[in-house]
Amino acid sequence: MTTEGLKDWLKQKIDVGQGIRVGSIDGNADQCVGVYPGKISGKQNIALGGKAQTMVQYGAAEILVHWSKSAVEAEKKAMDVWRLFWGWTTQQIAGTEVSWVDPGGGPIPLGPDSRGIQEWLIKLEYIYRLEE
């Protein structure tokens, strides 16, 4: 699964305000979302039998919610995004079967940017089926 695929899926599921991007946000926007590649906390595993028998990969992404000067409104938006992944059951994202997602214990408050827009971070780790 790609970060671009996750971005496109999110765009269908939530209000992204003035836009959603991969690898950046529009710093002039008051409401937008950024999707970034994340760091996988472990190593990739190869199944017994080698690459041909390996059916899943691990992935990670970070979602930056850049949402209004109101801390209350920004937190609510971040929680709405976080809840998309909490209690995950297998779903398709951009044609890839994603069987497990861990969105962490909750969104992480980053505070306001230089313009006073509140930012929250959601760190995802996930398992997805390799394409054949």
Side-chain angles (χ1 to χ4, degrees):
M1 181 175 82
T2 66
T3 310
E4 177 81 11
L6 178 58
K7 175 202 70 115
D8 293 342
W9 182 84
L10 278 170
K11 191 174 181 178
Q12 294 173 4
K13 298 287 184 185
I14 61 167
D15 169 17
V16 295
Q18 294 152 317
I20 185 169
R21 295 182 179 177
V22 170
S24 69
I25 59 165
D26 179 353
N28 295 317
D30 290 343
Q31 297 178 333
C32 64
V33 176
V35 181
Y36 300 82
K39 183 177 180 193
I40 300 167
S41 62
K43 60 181 180 173
Q44 295 293 351
N45 293 316
I46 300 291
L48 292 174
K51 183 178 173 183
Q53 299 301 314
T54 303
M55 301 296 175
V56 297
Q57 285 282 150
Y58 295 87
E62 295 183 353
I63 302 169
L64 179 66
V65 178
H66 175 90
W67 210 264
S68 91
K69 291 184 177 182
S70 165
V72 172
E73 188 179 335
E75 181 179 17
K76 181 184 180 317
K77 183 62 176 186
M79 288 301 297
D80 289 346
V81 174
W82 180 82
R83 283 185 188 108
L84 288 172
F85 301 100
W86 182 76
W88 185 272
T89 57
T90 300
Q91 294 186 41
Q92 294 282 323
I93 294 182
T96 300
E97 182 180 298
V98 180
S99 57
W100 175 84
V101 177
D102 179 6
I108 302 164
L110 302 178
D113 71 358
S114 61
R115 293 180 42 239
I117 305 298
Q118 297 291 320
E119 295 184 330
W120 289 75
L121 186 66
I122 299 159
K123 293 184 172 192
L124 303 176
E125 290 191 15
Y126 52 88
I127 298 174
Y128 64 98
R129 181 177 276 291
L130 288 171
E131 298 177 16
E132 297 181 30

